[in-house]
Amino acid sequence: NAGVTQTPKFQVLKTGQSMTLQCAQDMNHEYMSWYRQDPGMGLRLIHYSVGAGITDQGEVPNGYNVSRSTTEDFPLRLLSAAPSQTSVYFCASRPAGDRVKNEQFFGPGTRLTVL
Amino acid sequence: DAKTTQPTSMDCAEGRAANLPCNHSTISGNEYVYWYRQIHSQGPQYIIHGLKNNETNEMASLIITEDRKSSTLILPHATLRDTAVYYCIVRGAAGNKLTFGGGTRVLVKP
C-alpha cells in the first residue's frame, strides 16, 4: 500500500489565487481529515470527513472547502489564498471502526507559501 | 477535550530510557490519553493510547496515574531516530478530532 499520499509537496501562490491540495489513501479508510501546522506549532484541524459524501468543519475551516466524492480522495480547496494560509498541510486517514485506538495515518505534507 | 501540559523540550542519552511527562488534570472519565510523535518534517505517527491501565507495545510504554491526572510515556532504549516532537493528546472515544498542543521536543544525544 502507498498509504496516504499528498500532492504537491511544495507550492507557492500569490495572494488571491486558488488551488486544490490533493490527498488520496489506498487503505479503504472511511475517516479522513486535513490539518495545518504553522511553524513551531502543533497541528490544527481544518476539515474532516467520516465517509463519502459527509464532511464537517474542524477548528480552523475559514478559507477552505472540502468535498468527499469517493472513499479514496479528500481534496482541500483554498478559495482565495492569503499570506496567513502559509503553512504545512497534512492529510490523515483512519478506519471507521478504529475510533478508540484512533490510529491516524498521516501523509508527508504539502508546504504552501502564499506571497 | 481536556487540555494537556507538557515540558517544551528535553534531552536524553542514547540507549537510556526517556520518560516524557504529561499533565491532564481536567481529564474526564471517558477520555483516553494518546501519544503521537512527529519526526522532523514528517506527518505525525501514532505511538500508544490508554484509558486507565498501563499499556505497552513495541514502541513504548504508557503509565497513567491512578487519579488519571497525569501520564508518562516511556521510550525504553532511546535511539537517535527517536529524536522528534512528542504530543500528548486527551480525547473522548466518541470524538473525531485530535487536538495537538505544543508537544515536547526530545533530542536524543549520542
Side-chain angles (χ1 to χ4, degrees), chain A residues 23-24 48 66 79 106 115:
Chain A
C23 174
Y48 66 95
V66 292
L79 308 173
F106 284 81
L115 302 175

Side-chain angles (χ1 to χ4, degrees), chain B residues 40-97:
Chain B
H40 181 61
S41 298
Q42 298 180 21
Q45 175 192 23
Y46 166 88
I47 301 173
I48 199 167
H49 78 283
L51 180 63
K52 297 180 187 177
N53 301 322
N54 299 337
E55 302 287 345
T56 296
N57 63 19
E58 65 278 4
M59 290 182 68
S61 295
L62 175 60
I63 309 298
I64 302 174
T65 58
E66 192 167 345
D67 63 6
R68 304 210 321 124
K69 293 184 184 300
S70 66
S71 59
T72 301
L73 179 75
I74 301 172
L75 307 178
H77 304 286
T79 71
L80 300 180
R81 288 175 295 177
D82 292 323
T83 290
V85 178
Y86 288 76
Y87 296 99
C88 172
I89 300 164
V90 172
R91 193 208 68 151
N96 275 315
K97 68 175 185 178

